[in-house]
Amino acid sequence: MRLFNAWEMGQDQTKQQIEKGLHLYQSNQTEKALRVWMRVLEKSADPAGRFRVLGCLITAHAEMGRYKDMLKFAVVQIDTARELEDPDFLTESYLNLARSNEKLCEFQKTISYCKTCLNMQGTTVSLQLNGQDYEKALFFPCKAAELVNDYGKGWSLKYRAMSQYHMAVAYRKLGRLADAMDCCEESMKIALQHGDRPLQALCLLCFADIHRSRKDVQTAFPRYDSSMSIMTEIGNRLGLIQVLLGVTKCWMIQKELDKALESIEKAQELAEGLGNKLGLLKLHCLCERIYRTKGQQRELRDHVVKFHECVEEMELYCGMCGESIGEKNNQLQALPCSHFFHLKCLQTNGTRGCPNCRRLSVKPGYV
């Protein structure tokens, strides 16, 4: 009986210390929270408590951009889940391992761990698709911001910061630059308060894109440089590609086509190393415009062919009208089989089957 009481006390102390760390973290005392959680990890004899505190450490390091530390704790969490012999814990730990590798741009490992999750019973997976339907892109972060406001102070400001950032991106693409700037400024303010380096880098990138959209490249360039510095620091290679794309467009605005090609070369090296096909598609599109301006027909044809190869490989075209998706702002709709089409094409379709896979579809879901 004495051993049982000691075990219960261990569980209670573990729970109390984890909650203490959460309160510190939510009040923006991140380093103190990390020290509390690390002490729990070192001293707790409760496997379930250790699993939970590892989850806290994984999330905190992800938000700070410390992705290698995030991966380290995810590996320890896998071992803890195996010790617990609980399929739900094991699924969660594999998802955290996938998230860690995704942050480090190790996409083959990410896919492998996600497939492991899919093979486990009771796993629920959400899928995000990236198209160019800016109105829908704006809808979801707006709803997220509404939820944060409705639920009040109990919800973390970090949710608000992320929703504001995504609203800023959508507003910029819709040409509503003043709204984009307001949302991005609010997101950046919160990111600075919380020491959220990944979000700071994204906001700086968004600021630069807004100034570029205003043709104010002299203001855009230093913001791209600051974003690139943080992206390099935290190891966000996908983010670096986005920065280089923005820099390329600035050089094109200034008619500095050779400098634009230098930026494209750097971005292409990163994109090929990561297997980032969407990034390569955008780069081929920019190269097409540059070589068309320079009158270099052989290079122009080469990039036109590569662009269409990327479109075919990624299936970025409407299965009904055959037009490519992503070149301009269109309303899109996805079927449950994950194929997506122009909304206007689906509305004129007389059948309920997917034209791509010929499977019967139920009510479509929006993307």
Side-chain angles (χ1 to χ4, degrees), residues 189-257:
K189 180 180 177 181
I190 298 170
L192 289 169
Q193 289 173 351
H194 285 265
D196 190 336
R197 300 289 281 167
L199 185 54
Q200 289 172 29
L202 292 173
C203 287
L204 285 165
L205 172 58
C206 189
F207 281 134
D209 287 339
I210 291 168
H211 289 296
R212 173 174 55 79
S213 297
R214 291 173 171 168
K215 302 294 188 287
D216 183 2
V217 296
Q218 296 305 320
T219 306
F221 273 131
R223 284 153 182 79
Y224 282 128
D225 288 342
S226 297
S227 179
M228 183 178 291
S229 177
I230 299 176
M231 297 284 191
T232 304
E233 172 196 323
I234 65 178
N236 186 351
R237 289 178 285 168
L238 274 179
L240 286 172
I241 294 170
Q242 295 302 313
V243 172
L244 288 167
L245 282 168
V247 171
T248 298
K249 292 173 184 177
C250 283
W251 288 127
M252 290 172 69
I253 290 170
Q254 292 193 317
K255 311 296 184 186
E256 298 275 3
L257 301 185

Side-chain angles (χ1 to χ4, degrees), residues 318 321 323-325 330-332 340-346:
C318 177
C321 69
E323 292 183 7
S324 60
I325 288 172
N330 284 310
Q331 288 186 300
L332 306 176
F340 55 105
F341 307 87
H342 293 124
L343 177 61
K344 62 181 181 181
C345 295
L346 276 179

Side-chain angles (χ1 to χ4, degrees), residues 321-365:
C321 69
E323 292 183 7
S324 60
I325 288 172
E327 290 186 27
K328 56 185 179 181
N329 183 16
N330 284 310
Q331 288 186 300
L332 306 176
Q333 196 169 18
L335 298 177
C337 57
S338 296
H339 290 121
F340 55 105
F341 307 87
H342 293 124
L343 177 61
K344 62 181 181 181
C345 295
L346 276 179
Q347 288 173 337
T348 57
N349 179 26
T351 69
R352 289 177 59 80
C354 172
N356 282 19
C357 62
R358 301 299 176 189
R359 289 190 307 193
L360 186 67
S361 67
V362 294
K363 183 178 179 182

Side-chain angles (χ1 to χ4, degrees), residues 252 257-258 261 264 284-303:
M252 290 172 69
L257 301 185
D258 290 334
L261 288 172
I264 285 175
H284 291 314
C285 187
L286 290 174
C287 284
E288 177 190 345
R289 288 168 53 191
I290 291 171
Y291 287 120
R292 190 181 299 280
T293 303
K294 290 168 75 75
Q296 296 179 223
Q297 296 301 315
R298 188 179 66 180
E299 289 85 353
L300 170 61
R301 284 193 296 271
D302 182 45
H303 285 285

